[in-house]
């Protein structure tokens, strides 16, 4: 049952045992395995980063690695803002070709709007503010299907869903990871989903809500920072961040002189 060539995408979410099995699936005569990995987007594993060497699982990486530094998804303003926040928590480690280092991405040079951060008095106000802004942008000519809202916890999704319905905004709510299978990208509706579910997707307009609740009680700040980095970098054009609490993450985001804060 071996294959002539295999490609593993999102390799940072794989356990060592999974990769070891995949290596055995490659025909030794071709020995062709492509492994794509970005530790900054490792948001599912409980362990931090890659805690094993590639050679220990049979991946022959030495002398055969290529680093893809250029980011084509985000504008320079969004990418710089997200990375400068994340770098306070994701420290690039010295590494050889047998491990995966954290590296600063390079923008393809596309420019656009600065990210905008709005602080409000409650999460209910966050939800109303986001719904109102998306409706305004739609009135100005943007399509609903170009908009996404990413949130942290289920109760936030419920509040956002109520606000969107009250504002008359057509919405597809992906209430859990399992509902992602029902994702209808071509439907002209705002996509409402958890930060975890947003991974791998992109939208011209993204609103990230509930940042004041990150990290949650007992949550590892590094894991929470990775999750927020993933959510912010889903946006290709415009990024809106909302909060109703002053936390370490909010203070850090305010320090980055790359966004408009209100």
């Amino acid at each position: 049952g071996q294959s002539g060539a295999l490609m593993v995408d999102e390799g940072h979410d794989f356990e060592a045992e999974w990769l070891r099995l995949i290596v055995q699936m490659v025909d030794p005569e071709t020995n062709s395995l492509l492994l794509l990995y970005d530790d900054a987007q490792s948001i599912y594993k409980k362990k931090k980063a890659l805690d094993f060497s590639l050679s220990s699982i049979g991946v022959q990486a030495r002398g055969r690695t290529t680093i893809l530094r250029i980011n084509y998804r985000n504008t320079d303003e969004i990418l710089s803002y997200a990375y400068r926040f994340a770098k306070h928590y994701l420290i690039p480690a010295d590494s050889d070709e047998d491990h995966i280092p954290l590296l600063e991405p390079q923008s393809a040079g596309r420019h656009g709007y600065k990210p905008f951060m709005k602080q409000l008095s409650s999460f209910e106000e966050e939800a109303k503010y986001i719904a109102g802004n998306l409706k305004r942008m739609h009135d100005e000519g943007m399509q609903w299907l170009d908009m996404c809202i990413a949130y942290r916890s289920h109760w936030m999704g419920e509040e956002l869903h109520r606000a969107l319905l009250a504002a008359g905004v057509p919405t597809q709510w992906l209430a859990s990871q399992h509902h992602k299978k029902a994702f209808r990208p071509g439907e002209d509706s705002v996509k409402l989903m958890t930060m975890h579910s947003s991974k791998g997707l992109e939208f011209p307009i993204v609103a990230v809500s509930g940042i004041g609740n990150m990290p949650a009680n007992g949550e590892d700040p590094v894991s929470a920072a990775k999750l927020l980095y993933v959510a912010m970098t889903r946006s290709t054009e415009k990024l809106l961040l909302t909060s109703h609490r002053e936390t370490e993450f909010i203070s850090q985001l305010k320090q980055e002189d790359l966004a408009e804060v209100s």
Side-chain angles (χ1 to χ4, degrees):
Q2 291 177 316
S3 302
L6 285 173
M7 181 183 78
V8 178
D9 196 9
E10 309 282 356
H12 40 268
D13 290 329
F14 281 60
E15 299 290 345
E17 292 80 5
W18 306 356
L19 291 172
R20 187 176 292 111
L21 175 62
I22 288 171
V23 168
Q24 297 174 31
M25 295 166 62
V26 179
D27 187 337
E29 292 189 7
T30 57
N31 204 26
S32 182
L33 171 66
L34 175 61
L35 173 64
L36 306 176
Y37 188 103
D38 179 5
D39 188 64
Q41 297 193 53
S42 178
I43 60 175
Y44 295 120
K45 296 170 66 176
K46 294 181 180 178
K47 300 173 183 177
K48 298 177 184 177
L50 186 70
D51 56 355
F52 54 87
S53 67
L54 295 176
S55 59
S56 70
I57 58 171
V59 176
Q60 300 171 22
R62 291 181 179 273
R64 304 172 67 189
T65 60
T66 299
I67 298 175
L68 307 176
R69 296 176 181 269
I70 299 179
N71 174 297
Y72 294 94
R73 173 188 292 127
N74 314 116
T75 61
D76 183 66
E77 287 77 9
I78 292 172
L79 180 64
S80 297
Y81 186 66
Y83 179 77
R84 284 178 60 169
F85 161 76
K87 74 177 183 179
H88 293 282
Y89 302 92
L90 312 181
I91 306 301
D94 291 333
S95 181
D96 54 30
E97 286 190 291
D98 214 16
H99 295 78
I100 309 296
L102 283 166
L103 298 169
E104 180 175 1
Q106 295 178 4
S107 169
R110 190 166 58 86
H111 290 278
Y113 297 92
K114 286 185 176 182
F116 185 83
M117 184 166 68
K118 179 72 173 181
Q119 287 193 269
L120 298 118
S121 59
S122 66
F123 189 80
E124 182 180 2
E125 291 301 313
E126 284 189 53
K128 291 179 180 178
Y129 179 81
I130 290 172
N133 271 271
L134 297 188
K135 191 169 185 179
R136 173 183 56 79
M137 285 188 274
H138 179 262
D139 292 341
E140 293 173 353
M142 296 297 296
Q143 297 185 83
W144 295 123
L145 59 80
D146 288 334
M147 306 178 190
C148 171
I149 306 172
Y151 59 87
R152 182 65 183 91
S153 304
H154 184 77
W155 68 268
M156 296 180 183
E158 292 178 332
E159 187 66 52
L160 286 159
H161 194 228
R162 281 193 292 269
L164 291 165
L165 289 177
V169 176
T171 306
Q172 184 187 358
W173 183 19
L174 305 174
S176 72
Q177 271 294 113
H178 302 295
H179 293 171
K180 196 172 182 179
K181 294 179 181 179
F183 177 50
R184 301 184 297 276
E187 179 183 277
D188 195 21
S189 60
V190 172
K191 305 305 184 285
L192 177 62
M193 65 187 72
T194 64
M195 295 183 187
H196 281 95
S197 290
S198 72
K199 188 170 179 289
L201 302 175
E202 61 181 54
F203 301 87
I205 300 170
V206 173
V208 182
S209 64
I211 300 174
N213 291 72
M214 299 178 71
N217 291 334
E219 184 179 15
D220 173 35
V222 173
S223 298
K226 285 183 177 182
L227 185 58
L228 182 52
Y229 174 83
V230 166
M232 290 192 289
T233 53
R234 297 311 91 198
S235 172
T236 63
E237 300 290 342
K238 296 180 180 180
L239 175 63
L240 170 63
L241 311 171
T242 65
S243 172
H244 64 280
R245 292 178 179 174
E246 188 71 30
T247 64
E248 176 187 337
F249 276 16
I250 296 300
S251 299
Q252 197 64 63
L253 287 166
K254 284 182 175 180
Q255 289 180 20
E256 306 307 331
D257 187 27
L258 296 169
E260 297 179 15
V261 180
S262 173

